[in-house]
Amino acid sequence: QVQLVESGGGLVQPGGSLRLSCAASGFTFDTYAIGWFRQAPGRAREGVSCIHSSDGRTYYLDSVKGRFTISRDNAKNTVYLQMNSLKPEDTAVYYCAARPFSCSPYAFATGFYDYWGQGTQVTVSS
């Protein structure tokens, strides 16, 4: 049974940090690229970051470049999203998703992803 389980969300003040985790099971983790997406109320789901299965290449949404860092630990079947300098506009439900091998083409096209987690809420507010 394939599972992607996100954790690490919560309430944080503007300028603060959170680290999200995505724990995977039920598939060959090191042959899948992992993406992070987010969805705010009333808005479409958007891609935030993606990391390739093996060579570590990464992709970021322009608005999070320099603030968010994606990484993976294939030994632990886990991907992380370190989020620094958080802004109120980062508030959303964050999802991780898996697609075979590569983030390319179209790293943030949801239709390329096979598996999805249930999401974790991130709220940035004072």
Side-chain angles (χ1 to χ4, degrees):
Q1 180 184 357
V2 172
Q3 277 195 311
L4 292 170
V5 180
E6 303 93 338
S7 62
L11 173 64
V12 64
Q13 292 187 342
S17 298
L18 284 174
R19 189 178 80 156
L20 305 184
S21 298
C22 172
S25 61
F27 62 98
T28 308
F29 181 74
D30 62 3
T31 65
Y32 277 76
I34 303 295
W36 282 99
F37 292 77
R38 65 187 181 187
Q39 188 166 19
R43 301 190 66 177
R45 191 169 296 190
E46 67 175 353
V48 174
S49 186
C50 186
I51 186 166
H52 281 272
S53 60
S54 58
D55 65 9
R57 276 181 291 167
T58 58
Y59 299 77
Y60 294 96
L61 180 68
D62 283 349
S63 63
V64 308
K65 285 180 181 177
R67 300 189 298 122
F68 290 11
T69 303
I70 191 171
S71 61
R72 66 188 295 156
D73 185 339
N74 285 346
K76 295 183 177 179
N77 284 11
T78 301
V79 168
Y80 305 97
L81 186 68
Q82 178 66 44
M83 305 187 297
N84 299 329
S85 302
L86 282 161
K87 304 175 181 180
E89 52 263 42
D90 295 318
T91 296
V93 178
Y94 283 70
Y95 302 87
C96 63
R99 60 184 280 177
F101 300 114
S102 173
C103 301
S104 299
Y106 310 116
F108 300 143
T110 57
F112 283 81
Y113 289 79
D114 293 340
Y115 310 124
W116 290 83
Q118 294 301 305
T120 185
Q121 176 71 47
V122 172
T123 302
V124 185
S125 175
S126 55

